[in-house]
Amino acid sequence: MKKFICLILILIPATIFNSCSDFLEENPVDRYVVSNVYTDESGAVASVTAVYNSLYSLYERLMYLVFDLPVDDEKNGRGMPNQYLQNLEYMRYTPNNTFIRNFWRDSYRGIFRANNALEQIPTIEMDETLKTRLMNEAKFLRALYLFNLVRAFGDIPLPLGTSVEETVTERKPVADVYAQIIADLTDAKALPKSYSGSDVGRATSGAASVLLGEVYVTMKNWSAAVTELGAVVNNEASYGYGLWEDVKDNYRVATENGKECVFSVQFDSPPSNGNGDMQLSGPKYALQSRYKTQQIPGRNQMNEADIPIEELYAQFSDKDQRKFVYFSKEFTSPIDTTIYRVDLPIYTKAWDENEFNAPNSAVNRFVLRYVDALLLYAEALNENGDPAAAYTHLQRVRSRAYHDDPEGILTGDKTKENLTEWIRRERWMELVHEGKRWFDLVRWGILKERMFEHADNESQFTDSFEAAQKTQIKTNYKDAMTLMPIPQAELDANELLVQNPGWN
């Protein structure tokens, strides 16, 4: 699908994506009224491709800034002095934060494109099997966008059409939003289990089931989560799922769409969408004191803006292969093979060894990995009263990370309390820089507790200035932070919206 997205952009810009460009620039900016008209099969395909296209801005960076930066996963490097980002890191953010606003708008842009596709595709004369598949893909994507929004903001507008009356509405109760998400994903479970050729990367039945399982976990409907996730995990071979022995295979272009990929955003080199995370995470200032340069020869446009929390990095044993895949302190010049060593860890999940220009990385970004399904299933089993079964799936993840080294074997009584602690720790370590940490801390009810611990712990790893800033988290924190603030620009544009409690 990497090439598929690119081809759509090249072949039909005048009829489809020029219209989308106008749509993106709609004025006033809160009005997402779509006027695109699709009349044939190629138009139907393009309408759904436009729904996928909205994933790029979210999963290249926004998900990590809004849901990893304010917690104990990520921090700003010296390459990113933006005040709105500093406010996110130190929990000083407000309803005027531009990145929270962009997350809201880009998510709703995807929803409105999905609604447009779902309105128009039924009227098109085309292959009925393809028509049903495209509509179910649009439902999967709409459910994903809604799921991210409802977890972030609570009650939200729930537009299911494209008219002004349907899009400019009041906030709907969380229960109504979840009911729609479940309905969409239930339909999406009829999608194919796999694709071939240019369709690889599209939503599948397995992706719908795993996302629905995560929805049930978030709702604390443990029995439904066990059923939904168990149907996939206990039949993984039929879905083509499994764990790579080498974690790095998740981040190699040749294997990234393989057995551990449940659903990912398909990045590729120009003229398609490059993954700029390599640029934003790559080393720059860390090179200066030792090498008197801010660039590895042959690696261009690194910015060192988004870097790992060092408290997180310290959790990894040298026997844990993830430590040397998810992060690096050594970088080799592709010009002369010189190794450049830095003192702070750098995220390398988006590192493309074959790309010299960092913004053009072809490495995908995961929305759902199979390891996530295993950890969610373990959590559901544990909460549903079966910690022994939960241990089996959790230990499978650990054993892969440690290549079966005894150090990776979790020891202790397999009680619910111990499994809870182990699962939570493993999700932190396994899913770093994947836009999941804030969601996890909130649904576990430990956001405040963990952030106070982090504020104290980070002082062990940082200089005195940064440690002082981290300590201020305990003063900046407010109980309202278990929900994100409704962006002020949206409140100003839609008088039917009201702010979340504690953010006025």
Side-chain angles (χ1 to χ4, degrees):
M1 191 175 173
K2 287 172 179 273
K3 303 301 182 188
F4 174 80
I5 294 279
C6 177
L7 287 172
I8 289 292
L9 287 167
I10 292 171
L11 292 174
I12 48 176
T15 58
I16 302 299
F17 287 95
N18 280 358
S19 295
C20 288
S21 176
D22 294 340
F23 160 65
L24 296 180
E25 297 170 3
E26 191 75 32
N27 189 18
V29 292
D30 67 305
R31 305 295 194 262
Y32 294 92
V33 181
V34 181
S35 59
N36 296 349
V37 177
Y38 305 101
T39 59
D40 57 17
E41 187 171 292
S42 64
V45 172
S47 72
V48 175
T49 300
V51 191
Y52 283 100
N53 193 263
S54 293
L55 293 169
Y56 286 113
S57 60
L58 287 167
Y59 283 91
E60 184 173 23
R61 198 179 185 212
L62 273 177
M63 291 297 293
Y64 319 113
L65 295 181
V66 179
F67 302 111
D68 288 341
L69 183 56
V71 285
D72 54 353
D73 188 291
E74 180 178 312
K75 64 181 179 179
N76 291 295
R78 281 177 288 179
M80 189 46 63
N82 182 294
Q83 187 61 53
Y84 291 112
L85 294 180
Q86 296 290 333
N87 289 343
L88 283 167
E89 179 180 351
Y90 299 116
M91 303 196 93
R92 299 189 297 249
Y93 53 90
T94 71
N96 290 307
N97 190 280
T98 58
F99 296 96
I100 297 173
R101 179 200 66 198
N102 289 343
F103 164 73
W104 171 288
R105 291 185 176 179
D106 288 358
S107 297
Y108 272 110
R109 183 171 291 121
I111 290 167
F112 298 130
R113 289 180 175 182
N115 291 343
N116 186 48
L118 289 167
E119 283 182 350
Q120 298 199 42
I121 290 175
T123 68
I124 297 173
E125 292 187 11
M126 58 181 290
D127 178 82
E128 290 298 320
T129 299
L130 177 59
K131 176 185 287 189
T132 300
R133 194 200 84 190
L134 290 172
M135 292 180 66
N136 285 332
E137 287 180 64
K139 289 179 181 180
F140 171 85
L141 293 166
R142 180 170 68 180
L144 173 62
Y145 293 127
L146 285 170
F147 184 45
N148 287 339
L149 284 164
V150 74
R151 289 185 293 168
F153 299 104
D155 297 350
I156 55 170
L158 182 58
L160 299 177
T162 59
S163 69
V164 172
E165 292 75 19
E166 291 170 298
T167 57
V168 183
T169 68
E170 72 280 4
R171 298 169 67 182
K172 300 296 184 182
V174 166
D176 293 354
V177 181
Y178 275 115
Q180 184 61 51
I181 292 169
I182 291 169
D184 279 350
L185 291 175
T186 300
D187 286 349
K189 287 166 61 176
L191 285 165
K193 284 187 175 180
S194 63
Y195 298 92
S196 60
S198 63
D199 285 333
V200 170
R202 289 184 172 277
T204 63
S205 59
S209 286
V210 173
L211 184 56
L212 183 53
E214 185 174 8
V215 169
Y216 287 136
V217 167
T218 303
M219 297 174 70
K220 296 183 169 53
N221 187 341
W222 303 116
S223 61
V226 167
T227 299
E228 197 65 46
L229 292 164
V232 176
V233 173
N234 297 322
N235 298 282
E236 64 179 37
S238 70
Y239 289 90
Y241 293 150
L243 297 183
W244 291 113
E245 180 179 353
D246 183 353
V247 173
K248 182 66 176 175
D249 281 341
N250 285 303
Y251 310 100
R252 292 186 172 104
V253 174
T255 50
E256 61 187 354
N257 281 316
K259 61 184 177 180
E260 200 163 331
C261 177
V262 176
F263 184 66
S264 64
V265 183
Q266 304 286 302
F267 288 95
D268 204 358
S269 302
S272 189
N273 298 68
N275 185 352
D277 187 66
M278 180 178 175
Q279 174 188 24
L280 293 161
S281 298
K284 183 178 182 180
Y285 303 101
L287 300 165
Q288 191 164 2
S289 61
R290 180 179 295 185
Y291 301 105
K292 312 303 181 188
T293 183
Q294 293 184 356
Q295 180 173 292
I296 296 170
R299 298 288 188 191
N300 302 316
Q301 302 184 61
M302 301 295 186
N303 199 39
E304 199 180 303
D306 307 332
I307 63 177
I309 292 292
E310 289 171 89
E311 179 195 10
L312 165 64
Y313 182 74
Q315 308 302 310
F316 288 82
S317 163
D318 284 349
K319 292 183 179 180
D320 185 340
Q321 65 162 316
R322 296 172 300 188
K323 181 176 184 178
F324 305 102
V325 174
Y326 298 170
F327 318 94
S328 185
K329 291 187 174 183
E330 294 186 351
F331 299 87
T332 303
S333 167
I335 293 177
D336 59 12
T337 70
T338 299
I339 296 176
Y340 289 78
R341 295 178 174 85
V342 296
D343 293 331
L344 76 168
I346 298 293
Y347 279 128
T348 48
K349 282 188 170 182
W351 196 265
D352 187 346
E353 292 293 349
N354 297 316
E355 183 54 66
F356 292 178
N357 294 312
N360 299 337
S361 169
V363 177
N364 293 344
R365 291 313 306 250
F366 286 103
V367 177
L368 293 167
R369 269 194 299 143
Y370 188 57
V371 72
D372 194 5
L374 292 173
L375 292 171
L376 288 167
Y377 188 39
E379 183 175 348
L381 286 166
N382 188 47
E383 294 293 339
N384 206 45
D386 196 351
Y391 177 88
T392 299
H393 298 289
L394 174 63
Q395 188 55 60
R396 181 182 175 190
V397 175
R398 293 274 298 183
S399 295
R400 188 273 292 272
Y402 281 83
H403 285 315
D404 295 316
D405 188 277
E407 185 179 309
I409 305 298
L410 291 162
T411 58
D413 295 334
K414 298 178 182 62
T415 62
K416 179 181 178 181
E417 292 72 24
N418 282 345
L419 263 295
T420 295
E421 179 183 346
W422 294 340
I423 291 167
R424 289 179 179 181
R425 179 183 174 88
E426 208 61 28
R427 282 188 66 81
W428 187 28
M429 297 175 70
E430 183 68 52
L431 301 172
V432 297
H433 200 44
E434 293 190 21
K436 296 180 180 285
R437 183 60 172 166
W438 182 88
F439 292 124
D440 280 349
L441 293 176
V442 169
R443 70 182 176 82
W444 292 331
I446 60 171
L447 177 64
K448 181 176 182 179
E449 171 190 338
R450 176 80 272 269
M451 291 311 297
F452 277 39
E453 291 174 352
H454 171 61
D456 291 333
N457 292 346
E458 191 70 358
S459 64
Q460 304 173 42
F461 305 102
T462 60
D463 59 35
S464 57
F465 174 78
E466 186 175 345
Q469 295 290 302
K470 289 290 186 183
T471 301
Q472 290 178 20
I473 287 173
K474 294 191 288 187
T475 301
N476 298 335
Y477 183 89
K478 56 178 73 175
D479 291 338
M481 286 178 168
T482 54
L483 291 174
M484 289 289 170
I486 304 297
Q488 187 60 47
E490 302 305 316
L491 294 170
D492 294 341
N494 180 1
E495 63 182 14
L496 298 177
L497 295 180
V498 296
Q499 183 57 271
N500 277 322
W503 285 106
N504 291 317

